[in-house]
Structures are given as structure tokens and as C-alpha cells.
Amino acid sequence: MSIYGRARVKVPASTANLGPGFDTLGMALPLYAWIEMEEAEETVFHLYGDEMNGVAQDKSNLLYKVAQMVFAEAGVTVPELSISMYSEIPLTRGLGSSASAIIGGMAAANTMIGSPLDNAKLFDMATQLEKHPDNVGASLFGGIITAVWDGEHADYVRLEPPQNLEVLVVIPEFELETTKARGLLPTEISVSDAVYNISRTSLLTASLASGRLDLLSRAMQDRLHQPYRAPLIPGMEKLLAEAPEHGALGIALSGAGPTLLCLVDRQETRKSELEAFLKNTMQEHGISARTCWLTPCASGVTTELLEINEMQNVSFLDMIKGVRS
């Protein structure tokens, strides 16, 4: 009989970079993955939702692997797991699907064994795996985070999202592997480009912290990664150049893409115009895409420890039905 409880977690999606803050700035978004994990006689997966198509259902699964990292760090052995997951986060679209799986899997495993590891440790472990702290930090802590990583430890500051800030994403119907998008980046940059991005990252962080939304259009400009990734995403150059003319406060590639993200004032009167501009531009370049209005997510991963075989627990399937309805 298992000595451990059954853990259930809810973890948000995220966007990274926000333009100039390459590998340092992240924001949580209210698209979620739900994960349930418990000890089992043999490892089995129950994956639900269209976003789970093609995900591994053996011990090569990322959830299983990060759970084992947590167990090893905590000095416990749980070789066989029952893992259930439902996600509404699109895979390989620049919305932090891998980061949410890493944080969700780690948080579930840690909760299952009594939470011996604190969030600082989980953040370091997740960043070591992801190699940058922006997405995992946003999914773990919620809100907007600015973070640094020295190869061993990640430090961060969390910002509360401005109340009037909304997010409009346009999600092309094709996948873009992060490794491919990173492979296009130069190994060296000029001093002028470095100063360009440092100044705008500083201005962007200060603008978000102070609520100066009027500065976002200039603050979200970038020379480090977006110009090099634009050829992978038809229409991206036009969207970056012209979205502010249609009501966006600022626009950026979300993570490695192909999703693009507009920050919008809640009081903006041209929301329909902006949404139509994003869709039409994609259509002009032969790309099917969908749009989605979101608000920054203030909460990071949430965890719950369920008693094994407790009758009053809502089943995972019933929970999913409630989410979908």
C-alpha cells in the first residue's frame, strides 16, 4: 500500500521575453494544465485533450522524468507512478507548454511526498532543465517575473501585472520547435545592439512596475532575437511594425514563437480592429491562426494533496468535465 498521497496541481501557461527581455522576462497567462500524480504498481498515463496528442506515454514522458528528479533530490524512491494530465496549453507554440509540464510535474511530485523541497529549490531545478528562468518562473510564481540564472541558482523579482493590462495572442496553426528558433540566433552581437536591448529591457521592466503603459510600444522593441526569427513566421515583420497603429500598446514574439502577443489597454476602443488586423495579416501570408484574449495570470502553480481512496475527492475526469463546461 502506498505511503504517499495523491497530488493534484494546476499550472498556468506563460509567455517569455516580452520583446527585449530575452531569457529574462516572463509572464503567466490563464491557459492551464491540470496534473494528478500518485504512486502505482506500474507506471500508467491518462492524457486528456487535443493538446496531449502525440505525448509519450512511457517513462520517457517529461512529467515522469521531472518527478524522478524531485524524488532523487528529496532522497525518496517512487519508481512507478499513475499520472493524469489535461492541458489547454498549445504545444510548441511559444506559450510555455514544456515549462508548465516541468513546473507541474515537479510540484505534483513534491506535493505527493509531503513538500520537502521549497519553491526556491524547484525554481533552480526547473531552470537547470529549461536553461532559462523566464517561463518556468512565471508558471511557478505567477504574475510578471524578471530573473537571472548563473548556471546553478536563479534569482527573481515578481511584479504584479498592471490592472489595465490585457493580452491578445495570435496563435498560428503550426508548431515551431524552440531548438530550431534558437538555431537562427547569432553567436555574437554588436555593442550598439546590446545597449539597444539593455535599455529597452530596463524601460520595459520599469514601465510594467510603475503602470506606465504608454511606454510599452518603444520598450518592447528588440534586436537580439526577433529579427532573426521573423523568416520562420510569415507576416511577423508586418505585425511587429504595424500592430501599435491598430490599438496595441506593444507587440512581441511569444517565447520562440510562432505565437505573437499584443499588450493592450483594457479601455482600448479598437480591440476588434486589432484582432482583425492580426488575423488578416496571417491570412494574407497563407497562415491559419486563431486569436485569444487573456489577462495576465497573477497566480502561479497551485497544489492540493488528496487522501488516497477518499470518497469525497472529485475524480480527475469529473474535474475536467467541470473545466470544459
Side-chain angles (χ1 to χ4, degrees):
M1 182 176 179
S2 174
I3 62 172
Y4 300 113
R6 178 157 48 105
R8 183 178 293 168
V9 305
K10 177 183 177 182
V11 58
S14 61
T15 183
N17 305 329
L18 298 177
F22 183 67
D23 281 0
T24 63
L25 287 176
M27 179 170 63
L29 296 173
L31 298 170
Y32 298 98
W34 289 262
I35 300 165
E36 192 170 279
M37 185 179 295
E38 63 183 321
E39 190 175 6
E41 293 185 359
E42 62 178 3
T43 294
V44 61
F45 294 86
H46 306 282
L47 305 178
Y48 305 96
D50 294 340
E51 303 302 339
M52 294 288 94
N53 291 338
V55 173
Q57 298 192 48
D58 56 28
K59 291 183 178 181
S60 67
N61 184 288
L62 182 59
L63 294 175
Y64 180 87
K65 292 196 290 186
V66 299
Q68 294 304 322
M69 291 173 58
V70 169
F71 299 149
E73 184 68 28
V76 303
T77 302
V78 193
E80 306 297 336
L81 295 168
S82 174
I83 299 174
S84 300
M85 182 175 183
Y86 168 66
S87 178
E88 56 189 22
I89 304 171
L91 294 177
T92 57
R93 296 294 207 284
L95 290 169
S97 58
S98 65
S100 64
I102 290 169
I103 291 299
M106 287 186 173
N110 191 48
T111 300
M112 196 184 92
I113 60 173
S115 301
L117 308 182
D118 61 17
N119 279 346
K121 183 62 180 177
L122 294 180
F123 189 27
D124 284 345
M125 292 173 64
T127 303
Q128 179 69 59
L129 190 60
E130 189 84 335
K131 303 305 181 186
H132 47 93
D134 40 13
N135 288 108
V136 291
S139 285
L140 180 59
F141 301 113
I144 299 168
I145 66 127
T146 176
V148 298
W149 168 245
D150 64 8
E152 295 182 0
H153 176 65
D155 290 299
Y156 77 99
V157 172
R158 180 190 177 280
L159 303 177
E160 196 68 27
Q163 289 187 350
N164 285 336
L165 194 65
E166 282 192 290
V167 178
L168 173 61
V169 293
V170 56
I171 307 171
E173 295 300 332
F174 67 88
E175 297 182 1
L176 179 56
E177 295 288 345
T178 300
T179 51
K180 182 178 181 180
R182 282 186 176 268
L184 296 176
L185 303 183
T187 56
E188 297 180 356
I189 60 169
S190 66
V191 171
S192 62
D193 283 352
V195 172
Y196 185 96
N197 267 63
I198 291 169
S199 62
R200 280 153 182 81
T201 303
S202 300
L203 181 63
L204 176 56
T205 305
S207 299
L208 292 169
S210 63
R212 285 290 306 274
L213 302 184
D214 59 301
L215 297 174
L216 293 184
S217 179
R218 282 168 289 174
M220 291 177 69
Q221 295 172 11
D222 161 78
R223 288 183 181 173
L224 289 189
H225 67 106
Q226 293 181 161
Y228 303 99
R229 289 169 164 171
L232 295 176
I233 306 163
M236 175 174 160
E237 291 183 352
K238 180 178 179 179
L239 292 177
L240 292 179
E242 299 179 20
E245 300 173 11
H246 297 273
L249 292 167
I251 181 172
L253 187 65
S254 182
T259 295
L260 285 103
L261 166 144
C262 293
L263 299 186
V264 184
D265 190 316
R266 190 180 302 275
Q267 306 302 319
E268 176 59 56
T269 59
R270 294 174 293 168
K271 292 181 182 179
S272 296
E273 176 188 330
L274 176 61
E275 189 170 3
F277 168 71
L278 298 181
K279 288 182 177 179
N280 292 339
T281 300
M282 285 292 179
Q283 289 175 358
E284 288 170 6
H285 290 81
I287 302 298
S288 297
R290 55 192 169 100
T291 54
C292 183
W293 283 96
L294 304 167
T295 55
C297 180
S299 299
V301 64
T302 57
T303 64
E304 182 182 6
L305 183 62
L306 307 174
E307 294 297 329
I308 300 173
N309 298 324
E310 188 175 330
M311 295 300 295
Q312 61 264 37
N313 288 336
V314 176
S315 74
F316 193 77
L317 278 175
D318 286 341
M319 183 202 68
I320 291 172
K321 291 176 183 177
V323 170
R324 288 173 166 173
S325 62

Coordinates of all heavy atoms in Angstrom, one line a residue, residues 18 65 91 95 181 208 226-227 236 248 280 318:
L18 N 8.9 39.0 -23.8 CA 8.1 40.3 -24.0 C 8.9 41.3 -24.9 O 8.8 42.5 -24.7 CB 7.9 40.9 -22.6 CG 7.0 40.0 -21.6 CD1 6.9 40.7 -20.3 CD2 5.6 39.8 -22.2
K65 N 9.9 12.1 -15.8 CA 11.3 12.3 -15.6 C 11.5 13.4 -14.6 O 12.4 13.3 -13.8 CB 11.9 12.7 -17.0 CG 12.0 11.5 -18.0 CD 13.0 11.8 -19.1 CE 12.5 12.8 -20.0 NZ 13.4 12.9 -21.2
L91 N 0.9 23.0 -27.7 CA 2.2 22.5 -27.7 C 3.1 23.3 -28.7 O 2.6 23.6 -29.8 CB 2.3 21.0 -28.0 CG 1.6 20.1 -27.0 CD1 1.7 18.7 -27.5 CD2 2.3 20.2 -25.6
L95 N 4.1 29.3 -25.9 CA 3.3 29.6 -24.7 C 3.7 28.8 -23.5 O 2.9 28.5 -22.6 CB 1.8 29.5 -25.0 CG 1.2 30.5 -26.0 CD1 -0.2 30.1 -26.4 CD2 1.2 31.9 -25.3
A181 N 14.3 27.6 -33.5 CA 14.2 29.1 -33.4 C 15.5 29.6 -32.8 O 16.0 30.6 -33.2 CB 13.0 29.5 -32.6
L208 N 6.3 48.3 -16.6 CA 5.3 47.4 -16.0 C 5.2 47.6 -14.5 O 4.1 47.4 -14.0 CB 5.8 46.0 -16.4 CG 5.7 45.6 -17.9 CD1 6.4 44.3 -18.1 CD2 4.2 45.5 -18.3
Q226 N 14.2 38.7 -32.3 CA 13.0 38.7 -33.2 C 13.4 38.9 -34.7 O 12.8 38.3 -35.6 CB 12.1 39.8 -32.8 CG 11.4 39.4 -31.4 CD 10.4 40.4 -30.9 OE1 9.6 40.1 -30.1 NE2 10.5 41.7 -31.4
P227 N 14.4 39.8 -35.0 CA 14.7 39.9 -36.5 C 15.2 38.6 -37.1 O 15.0 38.4 -38.3 CB 15.8 41.0 -36.5 CG 15.6 41.8 -35.2 CD 15.1 40.8 -34.2
M236 N 5.1 38.1 -39.7 CA 5.6 38.7 -38.4 C 6.1 40.1 -38.5 O 5.9 40.9 -37.6 CB 6.6 37.7 -37.8 CG 7.3 38.2 -36.5 SD 8.4 37.0 -35.8 CE 9.4 38.0 -34.7
A248 N -2.6 48.3 -30.3 CA -1.7 47.5 -29.4 C -0.8 48.5 -28.6 O -0.3 49.5 -29.2 CB -0.9 46.5 -30.1
N280 N -6.1 38.9 -40.3 CA -6.0 39.2 -41.7 C -4.5 39.2 -42.2 O -4.3 38.7 -43.3 CB -6.6 40.6 -42.0 CG -8.1 40.6 -41.8 OD1 -8.8 39.6 -41.8 ND2 -8.7 41.8 -41.7
D318 N -14.1 14.0 -13.6 CA -15.1 14.9 -13.2 C -14.6 16.4 -13.2 O -15.3 17.3 -13.5 CB -15.7 14.5 -11.9 CG -16.6 13.3 -11.9 OD1 -17.1 13.0 -13.1 OD2 -16.9 12.7 -10.9

